[in-house]
Amino acid sequence: MKHFDIIIVGGGPAGLTAAVYARRAGKTVLVLERDTIGGQIASSPKVDNFPGIQSISGMELSEQLYTQAENLGADIEVEEVLEIRDGATKSVRTDYGAYTCAAVILATGMTHRSLGLPEEDTLAGISYCAVCDGAFYRGKDVAVCGGGNTAVQEAIYLSDLCRHVTLIHRRNTLRADAVLVDAVRRLPNVTLLLDTVISSLVGDEALNGLVVKNALTGAISRVDVSGLFLAVGQKPEGRLAQMLGIADETGFIPTGEGCKTSVPGIFAAGDCRAKEVRQLITACSDGAIAALAACQYCS
Ligand code: NAP
């Protein structure tokens, strides 16, 4: 069984930053990512709040982080971690193989929240990623649901491709950053439908409309769209943390100084950690902190 000093679970900004720091400290490192290298930031149309970088696409930033970690000698594999066993030497089993290590950094991020409507998972035309799927709706009418930074960024991105974008939010005010709210409000082909919830999805195999309800008046109406982009937040990817007994009741991982969890040698970094601010820069910051603590643990 191949042994590493540090195994990092998750290849998003937190995990890849941890890999960069751990490799620079001379540790052997394996990064295991089950899906997309770069994590959620890879699907972000534009990142313009990372210090020193005016503007970059999430995909390009992910590629650069990946290349940086790989050039430093990190092993990066697309494998899903199924089980982590604690001990003086820890073992990590994936869908492909098994490894041992001295320390584990969990950087497992979060997954998309859904609305819980019937047919949300089966109807064609529902997406969680404008960068990935927006081109399918070129020249068409679409809706985005949510009021956070992701929703507003998706609406802005889609406004370039689509004929019309309806941004549907359940409250009267968007919680996205003011700079994004100002930008979306200025777009002529974006309509804000506030105080509005989606009651049902209309369509046989593919979506062709939404039934929406005004949360204040109860009035029901229909919005004709061929695509719906859901951006209603995320929930922690807590399965491994729960298995290890280090998650709180919400699925996030409480940590102390050095991103240490309650299990010695297991660290948590990025959005999966219980914390207030979940931003790209705080994910990278966690990655660096966890890596340095993990290096110290296994030296
Ligand atoms: P978020 O900030 O949690 O926003 C989720 C939105 O979905 C909220 O407006 C919420 O409404 C709404 N929502 C939740 N459940 C819903 C439901 N069942 N039905 C209808 N609406 C629902 O999520 P996010 O936008 O994905 O952002 C996640 C984190 O990443 C945030 O910290 C954000 O700042 C960060 N981020 C930053 C950037 C950036 O460029 N700075 C870009 C993307 C994401 P309420 O407002 O009513 O709760």
Side-chain angles (χ1 to χ4, degrees):
M1 213 181 288
K2 201 162 177 196
H3 182 84
F4 293 85
D5 294 324
I6 301 172
I7 291 183
I8 298 165
V9 187
L16 291 174
T17 303
V20 167
Y21 272 75
R23 279 303 300 149
R24 284 170 60 90
K27 301 299 178 194
T28 54
V29 171
L30 171 64
V31 179
L32 295 167
E33 166 59 55
R34 72 169 177 194
D35 192 3
T36 314
I37 298 292
Q40 299 217 34
I41 199 70
S43 58
S44 183
K46 204 154 67 116
V47 175
D48 43 20
N49 60 356
F50 199 80
I53 298 178
Q54 296 304 314
S55 191
I56 189 168
S57 77
M59 181 60 76
E60 195 188 342
L61 182 70
S62 302
E63 283 167 5
Q64 295 216 13
L65 255 174
Y66 173 83
T67 306
Q68 191 177 15
E70 196 183 40
N71 286 349
L72 282 163
D75 283 358
I76 304 174
E77 302 293 346
V78 178
E79 293 177 37
E80 179 169 8
V81 175
L82 304 176
E83 190 186 22
I84 299 170
R85 287 218 176 149
D86 184 36
T89 297
K90 304 184 194 317
S91 57
V92 175
R93 186 170 62 82
T94 73
D95 53 355
Y96 187 75
Y99 309 92
T100 56
C101 61
V104 171
I105 298 176
L106 289 175
T108 46
M110 306 214 285
T111 51
H112 300 292
R113 209 183 279 145
S114 60
L115 288 177
L117 293 171
E119 286 158 21
E120 198 171 328
D121 297 329
T122 52
L123 209 56
I126 315 286
S127 170
Y128 291 89
C129 175
V131 170
C132 320
D133 301 330
F136 297 126
Y137 303 92
R138 195 179 290 276
K140 298 183 176 171
D141 295 345
V142 297
V144 176
C145 182
N149 280 324
T150 304
V152 174
Q153 276 194 332
E154 301 263 281
I156 293 170
Y157 179 81
L158 290 165
S159 71
D160 262 350
L161 295 171
C162 302
R163 188 171 64 174
H164 188 265
V165 180
T166 306
L167 177 57
I168 301 170
H169 180 41
R170 64 183 177 182
R171 287 187 211 284
N172 184 253
T173 47
L174 299 164
R175 70 160 69 193
D177 295 347
V179 65
L180 290 172
V181 175
D182 289 347
V184 82
R185 282 187 185 279
R186 282 198 299 271
L187 293 169
N189 64 337
V190 178
T191 303
L192 267 56
L193 212 51
L194 299 175
D195 288 321
T196 301
V197 295
I198 300 175
S199 320
S200 61
L201 309 171
V202 187
D204 288 332
E205 286 179 4
L207 182 77
N208 58 44
L210 309 170
V211 175
V212 298
K213 181 172 153 190
N214 185 295
L216 303 178
T217 64
I220 301 280
S221 56
R222 182 183 155 122
V223 182
D224 290 329
V225 287
S226 34
L228 170 64
F229 290 81
L230 293 174
V232 292
Q234 284 126 32
K235 52 187 180 188
E237 187 52 77
R239 188 181 53 84
L240 292 171
Q242 272 149 2
M243 216 184 264
L244 287 161
I246 57 172
D248 65 16
E249 62 289 352
T250 61
F252 289 105
I253 309 171
T255 54
E257 192 63 29
C259 291
K260 291 174 189 149
T261 71
S262 53
V263 175
I266 301 206
F267 303 81
D271 286 357
C272 65
R273 198 165 75 78
K275 60 179 182 175
E276 287 286 321
V277 181
R278 291 193 174 82
Q279 294 283 309
L280 173 60
I281 192 160
T282 60
C284 294
S285 164
D286 281 0
I289 292 167
L292 294 176
C295 290
Q296 202 174 30
Y297 176 84
C298 59
S299 60

